[in-house]
Amino acid sequence: MSFTLELGASAPDFSLKATDGQTYSLDSFATAKALVIFFTCNHCPFVVGSDEVTRQTAEKYRELGVAFAGINANSETTHPDDSYGHMVKRMEEQNFPWLYLRDDTQETARAYGALRTPHFFVFDQDRKLVYTGRGVDNPRETAKMTVNDLDNALSQLLAGQAITTPLTNPIGCNVKWDGQDAHWMPSEACDLV
């Protein structure tokens, strides 16, 4: 079995606290036509560089029944800026159109096989994985991006079409695993394509 969730797999459940103080699970999104789970954080230049494009995509598809949930699984020991308190502050400043969840134990990140920040997982109405990888092809400098893979996947999914590019490599900083060097990756983690 590969480290990262494979296409067609069911979304792993979770129980995570959001910056609004509430705890959410997969059932919290039961009415959504599609669900985008993405691993993100407070500081990564690839996240910060692409947040506004992700915001535009989330706002575009929210009216069409797509829910977005960002999960920060980074170790606050490795990167103190990724603490829950800093997440709350960032949400207050940015007012992102998604729930921002904290994965303190990193169990959810392991269940999904999150590789980088950001790393997107798109699930259909049955919560089967139909797309995973990057949001855009240049998340650090979106002025230079040429493709928005996340937007393309959602557009095709909602149109009932096959997703032409269901798998891409996420582009960003690696997840900061607790007790490990900041650049450590699990041995079973690998490129998706």
Side-chain angles (χ1 to χ4, degrees):
M1 183 177 152
S2 68
F3 179 72
T4 300
L5 205 61
E6 296 186 356
L7 292 171
S10 296
D13 202 0
F14 52 81
S15 179
L16 299 173
K17 183 178 175 183
T19 54
D20 64 4
Q22 303 296 313
T23 298
Y24 294 87
S25 68
L26 273 185
D27 282 347
S28 306
F29 308 96
T31 61
K33 287 183 183 174
L35 175 62
V36 178
I37 301 280
F38 64 107
F39 290 84
T40 184
C41 66
N42 293 332
H43 71 277
C44 169
F46 297 90
V47 168
V48 174
S50 59
D51 269 340
E52 288 311 305
V53 172
T54 305
R55 180 196 300 274
Q56 291 162 13
T57 306
E59 288 174 345
K60 174 181 177 180
Y61 289 99
R62 179 171 52 192
E63 295 173 11
L64 300 173
V66 179
F68 275 65
I71 299 175
N72 183 351
N74 277 359
S75 166
E76 64 181 274
T77 305
T78 309
H79 220 292
D81 285 352
D82 280 321
S83 70
Y84 179 77
H86 282 96
M87 288 172 58
V88 171
K89 183 179 177 191
R90 188 151 193 269
M91 247 334 227
E92 287 171 352
E93 292 169 351
Q94 299 295 327
N95 194 29
F96 291 124
W98 53 75
L99 287 170
Y100 195 15
L101 308 167
R102 180 68 185 151
D103 179 17
D104 273 324
T105 65
Q106 302 187 315
E107 287 175 17
T108 303
R110 284 193 179 274
Y112 281 76
L115 295 171
R116 302 193 175 276
T117 54
H119 186 168
F120 293 86
F121 296 80
V122 177
F123 297 93
D124 65 13
Q125 197 153 16
D126 298 323
R127 299 303 177 255
K128 301 296 185 186
L129 185 65
V130 296
Y131 172 82
T132 185
R134 67 192 186 189
V136 299
D137 64 343
N138 196 334
R140 195 168 187 159
E141 297 179 82
T142 52
K144 297 179 181 177
M145 74 182 197
T146 60
V147 63
N148 185 331
D149 291 286
L150 178 61
D151 184 274
N152 290 344
L154 289 170
S155 174
Q156 291 169 343
L157 174 63
L158 294 182
Q161 301 168 349
I163 295 171
T164 52
T165 307
L167 205 58
T168 59
N169 287 319
I171 302 171
C173 303
N174 60 292
V175 172
K176 307 305 181 208
W177 298 100
D178 200 35
Q180 301 292 343
D181 174 83
H183 300 288
W184 180 85
M185 292 279 272
S187 60
E188 65 273 29
C190 61
D191 283 346
L192 303 181
V193 290

